[in-house]
Amino acid sequence: MGLLDKLSSLLGLKKKEVHVLCLGLDNSGKTTIINKLKPSHAQTQDIVPTIGFSIEKFKTSSLSFTVFDMSGQGRYRNLWEHYYKEGQAIIFVIDSSDKLRMVVAREELETLLNHPDIKHRRIPILFFANKMDLRDAVTSVKVSQLLCLESIKDKPWHICASDAIKGEGLQEGVDWLQGH
């Protein structure tokens, strides 16, 4: 069973299509994670920075997935909110080696959580503390502290250490989403 086959039971949904928003600052690894979640025959070898956004649609044995891969570049972040209503789950990716922009990631997360289309929904949020393979990476516990994740009381959330290039930590995240 592939990662997205497991994701099909996300929120106990029996729908044919699941909408997942993949958010985070630019260069955090969002597109690489989405690529690794796809069935192996659908994965691409060349990952390029997302400009604006891209919509990835692919099927597993039981579901059709629509993943909104939103550019994390500052000038595109205002586009995120146009997709909040459709999201049934959020994957928020953090570059755990980019300590300088951790404050920016926290600010973007706060903006997301306070948006009217998100604020009053119990939408699950999976955080990937990505790039754990890099020497300067901080632990997922430290990322959680820097982003003040413990203050999120009204939504289920989970953080996983990950290395998107190798696919490490992704299974744990999908397993968690499966239960929410």
Side-chain angles (χ1 to χ4, degrees):
M1 184 185 288
L3 289 174
L4 285 173
D5 284 322
K6 289 186 177 187
L7 193 59
S8 68
S9 62
L10 172 72
L11 300 173
L13 295 174
K14 301 290 185 210
K15 296 179 181 177
K16 293 253 186 245
E17 192 161 333
V18 176
H19 293 264
V20 180
L21 303 177
C22 190
L23 308 172
L25 301 185
D26 52 306
N27 201 37
S28 59
K30 299 177 300 295
T31 304
T32 303
I33 285 174
I34 290 168
N35 190 51
K36 282 290 186 189
L37 292 176
K38 291 188 211 174
S40 56
H41 70 276
Q43 292 180 10
T44 182
Q45 298 303 313
D46 298 319
I47 304 293
V48 296
T50 304
I51 303 299
F53 70 97
S54 69
I55 299 175
E56 293 281 348
K57 291 186 177 235
F58 41 91
K59 296 180 192 256
T60 64
S61 56
S62 57
L63 277 182
S64 227
F65 284 87
T66 302
V67 180
F68 297 89
D69 181 6
M70 310 302 291
S71 174
Q73 295 176 18
R75 66 180 174 266
Y76 296 116
R77 289 185 209 135
N78 63 334
L79 295 175
W80 293 0
E81 67 184 60
H82 298 289
Y83 298 90
Y84 290 168
K85 279 185 183 170
E86 300 202 13
Q88 294 163 302
I90 295 172
I91 296 173
F92 198 95
V93 183
I94 302 104
D95 178 345
S96 59
S97 71
D98 191 353
K99 296 180 205 89
L100 291 175
R101 293 198 313 155
M102 209 62 74
V103 171
V104 178
R106 185 176 75 225
E107 289 169 354
E108 291 298 338
L109 176 61
E110 287 172 6
T111 300
L112 162 75
L113 293 172
N114 288 311
H115 191 278
D117 292 337
I118 299 291
K119 187 174 181 117
H120 301 292
R121 292 171 55 205
R122 275 191 59 82
I123 186 169
I125 306 174
L126 171 61
F127 295 92
F128 281 119
N130 197 31
K131 302 189 181 184
M132 282 295 171
D133 56 312
L134 299 181
R135 190 171 45 89
D136 293 338
V138 296
T139 66
S140 58
V141 171
K142 184 69 174 169
V143 170
S144 178
Q145 292 168 344
L146 291 168
L147 295 181
C148 304
L149 298 185
E150 64 283 348
S151 67
I152 302 172
K153 306 282 189 211
D154 60 343
K155 292 170 186 25
W157 63 270
H158 182 69
I159 187 165
C160 294
S162 65
D163 174 352
I165 292 172
K166 294 180 187 165
E168 293 172 1
L170 303 184
Q171 182 68 53
E172 177 192 338
V174 170
D175 288 347
W176 177 82
L177 272 178
Q178 187 175 321
H180 291 82

